[in-house]
């Protein structure tokens, strides 16, 4: 009996290490299945919407700040327009970052601007998906088109085995 305890402990630890390593891949599989089934409720379990919305708002705000600096050099009215756009950013991001839009991105749709300051999603056949760890607690789903545009969906570890999408890196 004593001879079995050590191998069982080693096997248990090995199974735990494999489970910890494999857990983000399982989460991505579950997210893809939910996206393909258009099951937004199931997909929502894997998404921290407040964190994703805040991350996208910060990214867009940083992008707008750069535009604001350029606009202030050209025209004071341009700066005012960008300040108003920044105020409208919150409701726009809240409307765009939804279970349906994230499911569409997982199915291969890429964000595009429609030329009228709107953002939409366009079906693409040339997308490739890659998965990688960035750190022990950060895992990235990269959805890239042949033209170089890419969307990174960043998952963060919630505990040893559970992952949630908490950031979205858009091509700005």
């Amino acid at each position: 009996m004593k001879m079995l305890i050590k191998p069982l402990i080693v096997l248990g630890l090995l199974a735990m290490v494999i489970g910890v390593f494999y857990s983000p891949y399982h989460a991505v599989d579950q997210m893809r299945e939910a996206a393909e089934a258009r099951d937004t409720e199931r997909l929502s379990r894997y998404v921290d919407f407040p964190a994703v919305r805040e991350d996208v708002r910060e990214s867009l705000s940083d992008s707008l700040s750069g535009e604001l600096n350029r606009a202030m050099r050209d025209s004071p009215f341009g700066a005012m327009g960008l300040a108003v756009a920044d105020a409208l950013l919150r409701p726009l991001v809240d409307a765009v970052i939804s279970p349906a839009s994230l499911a569409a991105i997982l199915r291969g749709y890429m964000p595009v601007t429609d030329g009228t300051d709107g953002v939409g999603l366009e079906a693409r056949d040339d997308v490739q998906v890659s998965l990688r760890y960035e750190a022990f607690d950060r895992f990235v789903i990269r959805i890239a088109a042949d033209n170089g545009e890419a969307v990174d969906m960043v998952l963060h570890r919630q505990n040893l085995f559970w992952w949630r999408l908490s950031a979205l890196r858009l091509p700005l």
Side-chain angles (χ1 to χ4, degrees):
M1 179 72 174
K2 251 185 172 178
M3 294 173 53
L4 284 177
I5 292 176
K6 285 184 182 179
L8 287 177
I9 290 173
V10 170
L11 282 175
L13 288 174
L14 182 61
M16 188 171 131
V17 168
I18 290 170
V20 167
F21 175 78
Y22 176 72
S23 60
Y25 294 95
H26 178 71
V28 170
D29 285 342
Q30 294 299 307
M31 291 171 68
R32 282 183 185 164
E33 286 177 15
E36 290 298 324
R38 299 186 196 293
D39 186 349
T40 56
E41 184 178 324
R42 192 167 114 204
L43 179 62
S44 294
R45 287 185 236 150
Y46 293 93
V47 180
D48 182 353
F49 282 103
V52 173
R53 288 181 179 121
E54 186 59 33
D55 178 71
V56 171
R57 269 193 291 274
E58 284 179 15
S59 296
L60 291 174
S61 183
D62 290 346
S63 178
L64 280 174
S65 294
E67 292 292 326
L68 178 63
N69 290 336
R70 282 190 288 278
M72 284 190 341
R73 281 182 256 142
D74 297 339
S75 163
F77 296 112
M80 190 170 70
L82 284 171
V84 170
D86 191 44
L88 297 175
L89 192 61
R90 182 171 297 277
L92 175 68
V93 169
D94 289 347
V96 171
I97 303 299
S98 67
S101 65
L102 293 177
I105 291 171
L106 281 168
R107 289 193 314 270
Y109 286 72
M110 295 292 284
V112 294
T113 57
D114 62 10
T116 61
D117 296 331
V119 176
L121 294 170
E122 174 183 74
R124 302 286 296 265
D125 293 329
D126 63 341
V127 296
Q128 297 163 355
V129 178
S130 62
L131 308 172
R132 73 180 192 286
Y133 273 95
E134 274 189 351
F136 175 74
D137 63 344
R138 192 171 48 247
F139 191 81
V140 176
I141 307 167
R142 174 167 273 242
I143 302 167
D146 286 342
N147 65 1
E149 290 182 353
V151 173
D152 288 344
M153 302 177 92
V154 183
L155 286 78
H156 283 94
R157 188 182 296 274
Q158 301 296 303
N159 59 36
L160 279 179
F161 302 103
W162 187 258
W163 293 80
R164 292 186 81 192
L165 177 67
S166 59
L168 195 62
R169 300 176 191 151
L170 300 170
L172 299 174

